[in-house]
C-alpha cells in the first residue's frame, strides 16, 4: 500500500518471502519486513525489472536483532520480475525477503513515488 498526503494512493497485490508469517527479524529468516517504512532509494539497474528500496532495518529492527546477537539483514526492495537472462539462485524464494510485484506494477510504482514516500507493508 502506498500512502500519499491524502491517504492511500493505491494498493498492490504482492509476493513476499518464503516465510510470509510474521515480521522480518534476522538476516536470512525468509521473512519480509512488516509495518511502516519509507521508500529510501531507487535502482534502475537492478537484477529485477526496476526496484525501489525500503528503509528496513529501522532503529527498532536493529536494536532487536543486536539484542539477540544477530544481524537484521537489509537491502529490502519492491521489485518486478527477474530481468531476462537472470536466473534466481533460490527458486523457492527468489524474492529473498523483498516484495515482488509485476513488471507493469513496478513501472507504475517507480513513476508514482519519490524517495521519502511512506509505505505500509502487511502480509
Amino acid at each position: 500500500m502506498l500512502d500519499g498526503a491524502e491517504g492511500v494512493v493505491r494498493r498492490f497485490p504482492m509476493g513476499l518471502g518464503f516465510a510470509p508469517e510474521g515480521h522480518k527479524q534476522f538476516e536470512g529468516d525468509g521473512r519480509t519486513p512488516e509495518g511502516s517504512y519509507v521508500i529510501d532509494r531507487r535502482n534502475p539497474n537492478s537484477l529485477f525489472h526496476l526496484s525501489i528500496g525500503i528503509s528496513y532495518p529501522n532503529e527498532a529492527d536493529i536494536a532487536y536483532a543486536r539484542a539477540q546477537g544477530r544481524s537484521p539483514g537489509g537491502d529490502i526492495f519492491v521489485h518486478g520480475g527477474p530481468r531476462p537472462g537472470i536466473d534466481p539462485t533460490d527458486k523457492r524464494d527468489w524474492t529473498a525477503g523483498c516484495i515482488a510485484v509485476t513488471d507493469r506494477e513496478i513501472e507504475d510504482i517507480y513513476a508514482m513515488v519519490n524517495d521519502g514516500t511512506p509505505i505500509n507493508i502487511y502480509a
Side-chain angles (χ1 to χ4, degrees):
M1 172 172 66
L2 296 172
D3 288 337
E6 298 178 18
V8 174
V9 174
R10 190 159 165 204
R11 294 177 192 267
F12 295 88
M14 59 189 170
L16 303 176
F18 71 85
E21 304 286 324
H23 175 62
K24 181 170 192 60
Q25 297 177 323
F26 309 114
E27 182 173 12
D29 65 9
R31 294 181 175 157
T32 299
E34 292 183 6
S36 297
Y37 294 91
V38 296
I39 303 301
D40 65 355
R41 61 200 181 280
R42 310 166 97 56
N43 185 0
N45 299 315
S46 171
L47 294 177
F48 300 92
H49 184 74
L50 298 176
S51 64
I52 55 173
I54 304 299
S55 63
Y56 176 87
N58 62 27
E59 290 181 19
D61 299 320
I62 293 167
Y64 180 81
R66 282 189 181 157
Q68 306 301 312
R70 310 266 311 264
S71 167
D75 283 337
I76 303 297
F77 289 84
V78 178
H79 60 71
R83 288 184 183 254
I86 301 295
D87 185 27
T89 55
D90 185 346
K91 302 285 193 250
R92 178 177 63 136
D93 180 26
W94 64 272
T95 68
C98 290
I99 301 158
V101 295
T102 68
D103 289 353
R104 178 66 185 148
E105 289 167 342
I106 193 60
E107 289 170 4
D108 290 348
I109 294 167
Y110 200 91
M112 192 175 11
V113 302
N114 295 314
D115 289 359
T117 299
I119 180 170
N120 295 308
I121 307 163
Y122 301 102

